[in-house]
Each structure stands twice: as structure tokens, then as C-alpha cells.
């Protein structure tokens, strides 16, 4: 891979990681994030790889883990952080908060934290694009838990019957490293033997991906997006990742602190709780090692990118903290009766 592109993918993944680490630090002040919030740590390669195949006008729908998808689609970290902490410069003026970060101007018209809530709306934008012959595609990211919801089945059915230009991007974040593609089959709490067999039963072209490999995701999704632009679709992807230990429990934690980019080479250094995760399943450290191995990026170039991203996120967070809360007089804006 050319150096430019390798660096761009790394920068985008790091932007998400550093932003979310910053959120955990901000959340220590309970007045900044007043309720529950979820992180995308460990799944960055999925969002960044998939969105790298998209244009600005393509549409993306996301979930309760939306920060990563919004940044991957080109969202401004300042406006994302401002939204999460409820400030005026947030993408929704501080009204949405962590669960509903959406940014229509970059193709994220709506975000729902209702498990499965975005699927039928995404099918709607795909239907609209098809009618308008817009060549625009829709990607809907969702978790494996969505496959337990009724709306999933209705949406898959109509999307296939109407041949909609939509990619169902299912992030199966509950697999062990041994269960990632090429190694074995995941066990699941779903009645289906394999989750990927479900869309196949609808006749939908389905791919199982290693969601920790940003280059593999980018290449596979690039090919599917090209086919959708030529009028094919729908497609289904099962993207397998391994849950980051900090995402267990009711609130995210940073076991061992912020990710140190040097852990890519110094595998024994992270605390034991996260050591094997960073060694085998951290998409950013996997990519860092791959970039060095292939010669696309030197260790120093990687460290420089990380330093630049950390500075960028520090600035974004400072600006978000300086942004005022919404004006009380605007409370009824966007309210319909
Ligand atoms: C309809 C609905 N039921 C339950 C919840 C509570 N809830 C929030 S996240 C979540 C788990 C979703 O699992 P999955 O889709 O696999 O996403 P993950 O958290 O693993 O990324 C649940 C049950 C919800 N938000 N919406
Ligand atoms: Mg899940």
C-alpha cells in the first residue's frame, strides 16, 4: 500500500481512539457526560476501512457506538466532542448527546441508539437513492444484537425484494481471536448456527470479514460499493472483532491508561488485563505493525502521526469545553406539535 494511504488509514483510526480516550477522561467530571455512553474502541478498522470506500454524499447509519462512525465518515472531532458534552457547537447543538451524534452535512442524517432502529430508515434512503438514480449508496452499521430484533428481518426482506443499494454492515464484536475469519466459527447466543447464514437464507450476497484488519476491510468494502454504484445490492457483511476489555462492565474504562503506540513493538508492556488484546486484537496496533513490516511507514513516521493526532484531539477537546451550553431560549427549536 502506498505510504500516503497507509498513513491516512492510521491517522483516521487514531483520531477515533484518541477522541474516545479523551471522552473517558472527560467523563470523570460527572457534569460533562451525565449518563451512560459507549465506545468504539477495538472496532476502528471496521468504520475507517468501510468509510474509506465512501464519498461524502453516501449515507451512513450508526448505533449507540456512533462516535467512531461519525469521525470515520469525516466528522470534525471538535463538533463530536462538543455534542457528547452537550455544547452549542456540537453537531446537533448539544441536543443529541453521545447516543445520537448525527451529522447530515457529511451523510449521517440520523442516529438511533435503539438496537436495530436505524435499519428501516437506512432502507428508506437506499430506496430514495434508487428512485433518483443517484448512484449514492447507504451503509448501515449495527451490532450482532440487532439480529435478535424483528425489524432486522423485515428490512432484509424488503431490501432484497427491491434490490436496494444498501450494505448491511454487521459488527460482530463478541468473537475470540480464534474465531476470526480463517480460524474458526464463532459460538453465538442466536438460534442460527452462524449469523452469516441468516442473510444468505434471504439470498443476500454475504461476506465474512476480519474486522480488525483495516486494509482488508477497505478492499472488500471498496469492491462492494463499486458493485452497488453499478446497480447491484443489497449486500451483507459480518465483520468480526474481539471485545476490548475496557468495554466490559457498565461504563467504559481504560485498563492500563491510554494506548501507547509503542505497545505495537513492546508487547509485554500493557497491563495484564489488556496485554493479549493489544497483541492480537487491537486494530490500530495490528495496522501499525503491518505498516512497519511492509515498509509503508517507519516507526518514527508512525510516532509522528500519533503525536499529531493527539495534539489535534487536545485542541478539539479544549475548544469543545470552551463552547457554551445551548441557549435556553432555543429549547423549543426543532420541536413539532
Ligand atoms: C430495542 C433495544 N433494546 C435494548 C436496548 C439496550 N441495549 C443497548 S446496547 C445493547 C446491546 C446491543 O448489542 P449489539 O447490537 O451486539 O451491539 P454492541 O453493544 O455489542 O456493539 C442493548 C441490548 C436498546 N438500546 N434498544
Ligand atoms: Mg455486539
Amino acid at each position: 500500500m502506498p505510504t500516503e494511504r497507509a498513513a491516512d488509514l492510521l491517522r483516521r483510526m487514531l483520531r477515533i481512539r484518541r477522541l474516545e480516550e479523551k471522552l473517558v477522561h472527560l467523563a470523570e467530571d460527572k457534569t460533562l457526560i451525565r449518563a451512560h455512553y459507549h465506545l468504539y474502541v477495538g472496532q476502528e478498522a471496521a468504520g475507517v476501512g468501510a468509510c474509506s470506500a465512501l464519498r461524502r454524499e453516501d449515507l451512513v447509519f450508526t448505533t449507540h457506538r456512533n462516535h467512531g462512525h461519525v469521525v470515520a465518515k469525516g466528522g470534525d472531532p471538535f463538533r463530536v466532542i462538543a455534542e457528547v458534552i452537550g455544547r452549542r457547537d456540537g453537531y446537533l447543538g448539544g441536543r443529541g448527546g453521545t447516543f445520537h451524534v448525527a451529522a447530515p452535512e457529511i451523510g449521517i442524517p440520523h442516529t438511533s441508539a435503539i438496537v436495530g432502529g436505524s435499519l428501516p430508515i437506512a432502507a428508506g434512503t437506499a430506496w430514495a437513492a434508487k428512485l433518483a438514480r443517484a448512484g449514492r449508496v447507504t451503509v448501515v452499521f449495527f451490532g450482532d444484537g440487532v439480529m435478535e430484533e424483528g425489524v432486522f428481518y423485515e428490512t432484509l426482506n424488503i431490501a432484497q425484494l427491491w434490490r436496494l443499494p444498501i450494505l448491511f454492515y454487521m459488527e460482530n464484536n463478541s468473537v475470540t481471536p480464534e474465531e476470526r475469519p480463517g480460524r474458526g466459527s464463532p459460538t453465538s447466543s442466536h438460534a442460527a448456527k452462524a449469523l452469516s447464514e441468516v442473510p444468505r437464507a434471504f439470498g443476500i450476497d454475504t461476506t465474512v470479514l476480519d474486522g480488525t484488519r483495516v486494509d482488508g476491510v477497505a478492499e472488500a468494502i471498496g469492491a462492494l460499493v463499486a458493485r452497488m454504484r453499478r446497480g447491484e445490492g443489497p449486500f451483507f457483511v459480518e465483520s468480526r472483532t474481539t471485545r476490548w476489555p475496557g468495554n466490559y462492565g457498565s461504563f467504559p474504562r481504560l485498563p492500563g491508561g491510554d494506548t501507547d503506540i509503542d505497545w505495537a513493538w513492546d508487547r509485554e508492556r500493557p497491563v495484564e488485563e489488556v496485554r493479549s488484546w493489544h497483541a492480537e486484537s487491537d486494530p490500530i496496533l495490528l495496522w501499525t505493525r503491518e505498516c512497519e513490516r511492509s515498509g509503508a511507514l517507519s516507526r518514527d513516521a508512525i510516532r509522528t502521526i500519533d503525536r499529531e493526532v493527539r495534539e489535534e484531539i487536545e485542541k478539539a477537546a479544549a475548544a469543545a469545553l470552551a463552547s457554551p451550553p445551548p441557549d435556553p431560549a432555543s429549547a423549543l427549536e426543532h420541536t413539532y406539535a
Side-chain angles (χ1 to χ4, degrees):
M1 184 178 287
T3 295
E4 250 336 275
R5 178 145 168 84
D8 184 59
L9 293 173
L10 178 62
R11 190 179 297 278
R12 285 169 191 271
M13 289 196 289
L14 276 170
R15 205 172 265 142
I16 298 170
R17 177 72 53 93
R18 298 304 182 202
L19 182 151
E20 293 203 310
E21 288 171 345
K22 188 71 194 174
L23 292 181
V24 178
H25 297 304
L26 291 176
E28 285 164 17
D29 175 346
K30 302 269 185 261
T31 65
L32 288 176
I33 304 179
R34 289 164 189 264
H36 196 48
Y37 65 106
H38 297 269
L39 300 185
Y40 194 57
V41 173
Q43 296 171 229
E44 293 95 338
V48 167
C51 288
S52 75
L54 300 178
R55 300 176 184 152
R56 195 178 174 88
E57 66 271 21
D58 292 326
L59 297 162
V60 162
F61 289 84
T62 163
T63 67
H64 54 290
R65 297 195 196 281
N66 59 65
H67 316 141
H69 297 128
V70 176
V71 171
K73 187 66 170 50
D76 179 347
F78 156 54
R79 299 195 63 197
V80 171
I81 299 172
E83 186 57 47
V84 173
I85 64 173
R87 300 299 168 88
R88 209 176 293 184
D89 291 300
Y91 271 112
L92 306 169
R95 291 176 170 78
T98 172
F99 275 120
H100 304 107
V101 185
E105 59 264 52
I106 55 161
I108 305 185
H110 158 86
T111 294
S112 172
I114 301 293
V115 170
S118 288
L119 267 74
I121 304 171
T125 63
W127 175 230
K130 184 172 171 126
L131 287 181
R133 298 180 199 283
R136 191 191 300 138
V137 307
T138 296
V139 176
V140 54
F141 292 100
F142 55 97
D144 46 292
V146 166
M147 294 183 64
E148 297 167 19
E149 299 289 338
V151 70
F152 171 82
Y153 296 86
E154 297 179 44
T155 307
L156 243 65
N157 186 47
I158 210 77
Q160 173 68 338
L161 285 172
W162 293 358
R163 306 285 163 175
L164 299 183
I166 182 170
L167 171 62
F168 294 98
Y169 196 108
M170 190 268 280
E171 301 199 46
N172 189 350
N173 56 359
S174 303
V175 304
T176 66
E178 294 70 37
E179 293 166 338
R180 290 214 295 271
R183 301 190 223 176
S185 301
T187 47
S188 149
S189 59
H190 198 279
K193 274 211 173 61
L195 294 179
S196 55
E197 290 307 317
V198 175
R200 286 186 179 128
F202 287 78
I204 297 177
D205 186 328
T206 298
T207 310
V208 180
L209 290 178
D210 185 339
T212 66
R213 302 282 173 171
V214 70
D215 50 342
V217 173
E219 192 186 329
I221 303 307
L224 296 178
V225 166
R227 288 173 63 185
M228 285 194 282
R229 294 209 202 283
R230 292 197 298 269
E232 289 186 58
F235 293 105
F236 190 102
V237 161
E238 177 186 351
S239 173
R240 292 185 188 164
T241 55
T242 301
R243 196 172 279 253
W244 169 57
N247 265 341
Y248 287 108
S250 50
F251 276 86
R253 297 173 302 117
L254 293 171
D258 295 358
T259 308
D260 183 334
I261 202 79
D262 277 20
W263 291 346
W265 307 290
D266 197 353
R267 299 188 196 199
E268 293 307 310
R269 209 145 52 77
V271 296
E272 194 181 345
E273 188 184 355
V274 286
R275 194 174 296 145
S276 68
W277 186 83
H278 283 295
E280 296 175 63
S281 305
D282 179 345
I284 294 180
L285 299 190
L286 288 170
W287 184 236
T288 305
R289 273 187 228 117
E290 174 58 22
C291 285
E292 196 198 26
R293 194 201 56 77
S294 67
L297 293 170
S298 69
R299 227 173 253 207
D300 276 347
I302 290 164
R303 290 186 179 124
T304 302
I305 290 170
D306 183 45
R307 195 174 51 246
E308 287 168 359
V309 171
R310 277 188 280 139
E311 282 166 12
E312 177 193 341
I313 298 302
E314 281 306 320
K315 273 196 201 134
L321 284 165
S323 174
D327 179 358
S330 72
L332 296 182
E333 281 172 15
H334 313 296
T335 305
Y336 300 90

